[in-house]
Short mmCIF file of all heavy atoms in Angstrom, two decimals:
data_model
loop_
_atom_site.label_atom_id
_atom_site.label_comp_id
_atom_site.label_asym_id
_atom_site.label_seq_id
_atom_site.Cartn_x
_atom_site.Cartn_y
_atom_site.Cartn_z
N GLY A 819 15.98 0.07 3.09
CA GLY A 819 14.89 -0.36 2.42
C GLY A 819 14.22 0.81 1.70
O GLY A 819 14.84 1.70 1.11
N THR A 820 12.88 0.97 1.78
CA THR A 820 12.16 2.00 0.98
C THR A 820 12.21 3.36 1.91
O THR A 820 12.31 3.22 3.15
CB THR A 820 10.73 1.66 0.63
OG1 THR A 820 10.07 1.25 1.87
CG2 THR A 820 10.73 0.50 -0.32
N TRP A 821 12.07 4.42 1.15
CA TRP A 821 12.06 5.70 1.83
C TRP A 821 10.78 6.35 1.40
O TRP A 821 10.55 6.64 0.14
CB TRP A 821 13.29 6.51 1.57
CG TRP A 821 13.28 7.91 2.14
CD1 TRP A 821 13.72 8.12 3.42
CD2 TRP A 821 12.96 9.18 1.62
NE1 TRP A 821 13.50 9.55 3.61
CE2 TRP A 821 13.15 10.18 2.55
CE3 TRP A 821 12.49 9.56 0.32
CZ2 TRP A 821 12.87 11.49 2.35
CZ3 TRP A 821 12.22 10.82 0.04
CH2 TRP A 821 12.49 11.79 1.02
N ALA A 822 9.84 6.71 2.27
CA ALA A 822 8.57 7.30 2.01
C ALA A 822 8.66 8.82 2.01
O ALA A 822 9.44 9.45 2.59
CB ALA A 822 7.47 6.90 2.99
N ILE A 823 7.71 9.47 1.06
CA ILE A 823 7.58 10.84 1.01
C ILE A 823 7.19 11.44 2.35
O ILE A 823 6.18 10.95 2.88
CB ILE A 823 6.59 11.26 -0.14
CG1 ILE A 823 7.16 10.84 -1.49
CG2 ILE A 823 6.20 12.78 -0.08
CD1 ILE A 823 6.16 11.23 -2.59
N PRO A 824 8.03 12.33 2.85
CA PRO A 824 7.66 12.85 4.29
C PRO A 824 6.52 13.86 4.18
O PRO A 824 6.25 14.49 3.23
CB PRO A 824 8.91 13.54 4.70
CG PRO A 824 9.57 13.91 3.42
CD PRO A 824 9.26 12.88 2.42
N LEU A 825 5.88 14.10 5.38
CA LEU A 825 4.66 14.89 5.42
C LEU A 825 5.08 16.34 5.11
O LEU A 825 4.36 17.13 4.59
CB LEU A 825 4.07 14.77 6.88
CG LEU A 825 2.75 15.54 7.05
CD1 LEU A 825 1.71 15.17 6.13
CD2 LEU A 825 2.36 15.43 8.50
N SER A 826 6.40 16.72 5.56
CA SER A 826 6.77 18.18 5.27
C SER A 826 6.76 18.40 3.86
O SER A 826 6.54 19.54 3.45
CB SER A 826 8.17 18.25 5.95
OG SER A 826 9.12 17.47 5.30
N ALA A 827 7.07 17.44 3.02
CA ALA A 827 7.09 17.60 1.54
C ALA A 827 5.65 17.71 1.05
O ALA A 827 5.27 18.56 0.19
CB ALA A 827 7.93 16.72 0.81
N ALA A 828 4.85 16.77 1.50
CA ALA A 828 3.53 16.63 1.00
C ALA A 828 2.64 17.94 1.33
O ALA A 828 1.89 18.41 0.51
CB ALA A 828 2.78 15.43 1.59
N SER A 829 2.96 18.58 2.50
CA SER A 829 2.16 19.71 2.82
C SER A 829 2.48 21.02 1.97
O SER A 829 1.55 21.84 1.92
CB SER A 829 2.62 20.11 4.28
OG SER A 829 4.05 20.35 4.43
N ARG A 830 3.55 20.93 1.19
CA ARG A 830 3.87 21.99 0.24
C ARG A 830 3.00 21.96 -1.00
O ARG A 830 2.75 22.85 -1.69
CB ARG A 830 5.34 21.89 -0.28
CG ARG A 830 6.33 21.88 0.86
CD ARG A 830 6.40 23.29 1.54
NE ARG A 830 7.43 23.52 2.54
CZ ARG A 830 8.64 23.92 2.35
NH1 ARG A 830 8.93 24.35 1.04
NH2 ARG A 830 9.64 23.98 3.18
N LEU A 831 2.28 20.79 -1.19
CA LEU A 831 1.53 20.61 -2.39
C LEU A 831 -0.03 20.43 -2.01
O LEU A 831 -0.77 20.82 -2.89
CB LEU A 831 2.04 19.31 -3.10
CG LEU A 831 1.63 19.07 -4.49
CD1 LEU A 831 2.05 20.14 -5.51
CD2 LEU A 831 2.13 17.69 -5.01
N VAL A 832 -0.24 19.97 -0.92
CA VAL A 832 -1.75 19.84 -0.60
C VAL A 832 -2.46 21.15 -0.58
O VAL A 832 -2.02 22.08 0.04
CB VAL A 832 -1.91 19.06 0.80
CG1 VAL A 832 -3.35 19.11 1.31
CG2 VAL A 832 -1.34 17.60 0.71
N GLY A 833 -3.54 21.22 -1.24
CA GLY A 833 -4.38 22.33 -1.35
C GLY A 833 -4.11 23.13 -2.59
O GLY A 833 -4.94 24.11 -2.89
N ALA A 834 -3.11 22.76 -3.35
CA ALA A 834 -2.77 23.62 -4.56
C ALA A 834 -3.08 22.72 -5.80
O ALA A 834 -3.38 21.48 -5.62
CB ALA A 834 -1.25 23.93 -4.64
N ALA A 835 -3.23 23.29 -6.88
CA ALA A 835 -3.43 22.50 -8.07
C ALA A 835 -2.22 21.81 -8.54
O ALA A 835 -1.10 22.21 -8.23
CB ALA A 835 -3.87 23.45 -9.25
N PRO A 836 -2.31 20.65 -9.13
CA PRO A 836 -1.10 19.94 -9.53
C PRO A 836 -0.19 20.69 -10.51
O PRO A 836 0.96 20.39 -10.67
CB PRO A 836 -1.66 18.66 -10.22
CG PRO A 836 -3.02 18.44 -9.59
CD PRO A 836 -3.48 19.81 -9.37
N SER A 837 -0.79 21.71 -11.20
CA SER A 837 -0.03 22.55 -12.11
C SER A 837 0.40 23.74 -11.66
O SER A 837 1.06 24.57 -12.25
CB SER A 837 -0.96 22.84 -13.31
OG SER A 837 -2.17 23.54 -12.83
N ASP A 838 0.27 24.02 -10.30
CA ASP A 838 0.77 25.15 -9.55
C ASP A 838 2.27 25.19 -9.59
O ASP A 838 2.81 24.33 -8.75
CB ASP A 838 0.21 25.37 -8.24
CG ASP A 838 0.45 26.72 -7.47
OD1 ASP A 838 1.66 27.06 -7.74
OD2 ASP A 838 -0.30 27.20 -6.92
N GLU A 839 2.97 26.00 -10.34
CA GLU A 839 4.37 25.89 -10.42
C GLU A 839 5.11 26.15 -9.11
O GLU A 839 6.08 25.48 -8.73
CB GLU A 839 4.92 26.80 -11.47
CG GLU A 839 6.41 26.77 -11.77
CD GLU A 839 6.87 27.48 -12.87
OE1 GLU A 839 6.07 28.05 -13.64
OE2 GLU A 839 8.12 27.74 -13.02
N ALA A 840 4.71 27.18 -8.34
CA ALA A 840 5.17 27.44 -7.04
C ALA A 840 5.05 26.34 -5.98
O ALA A 840 6.09 25.90 -5.35
CB ALA A 840 4.61 28.72 -6.49
N ALA A 841 3.99 25.66 -6.10
CA ALA A 841 3.71 24.53 -5.24
C ALA A 841 4.51 23.37 -5.66
O ALA A 841 5.13 22.61 -4.79
CB ALA A 841 2.25 24.12 -5.25
N MET A 842 4.64 23.16 -6.94
CA MET A 842 5.47 22.02 -7.51
C MET A 842 6.88 22.20 -7.11
O MET A 842 7.58 21.29 -6.61
CB MET A 842 5.42 22.10 -9.05
CG MET A 842 4.02 21.65 -9.60
SD MET A 842 3.93 21.88 -11.46
CE MET A 842 5.28 20.72 -11.92
N ARG A 843 7.48 23.46 -7.29
CA ARG A 843 8.86 23.71 -6.86
C ARG A 843 9.07 23.52 -5.41
O ARG A 843 10.15 22.97 -4.91
CB ARG A 843 9.19 25.19 -7.39
CG ARG A 843 9.31 25.33 -8.80
CD ARG A 843 9.78 26.76 -9.19
NE ARG A 843 9.90 26.94 -10.63
CZ ARG A 843 10.98 26.76 -11.29
NH1 ARG A 843 12.09 26.22 -10.67
NH2 ARG A 843 11.02 26.88 -12.57
#
Side-chain angles (χ1 to χ4, degrees):
T820 57
W821 181 79
I823 292 179
L825 185 61
S826 62
S829 62
R830 301 292 184 94
L831 196 61
V832 171
S837 58
D838 187 320
E839 183 174 347
M842 290 172 62
R843 289 182 179 274

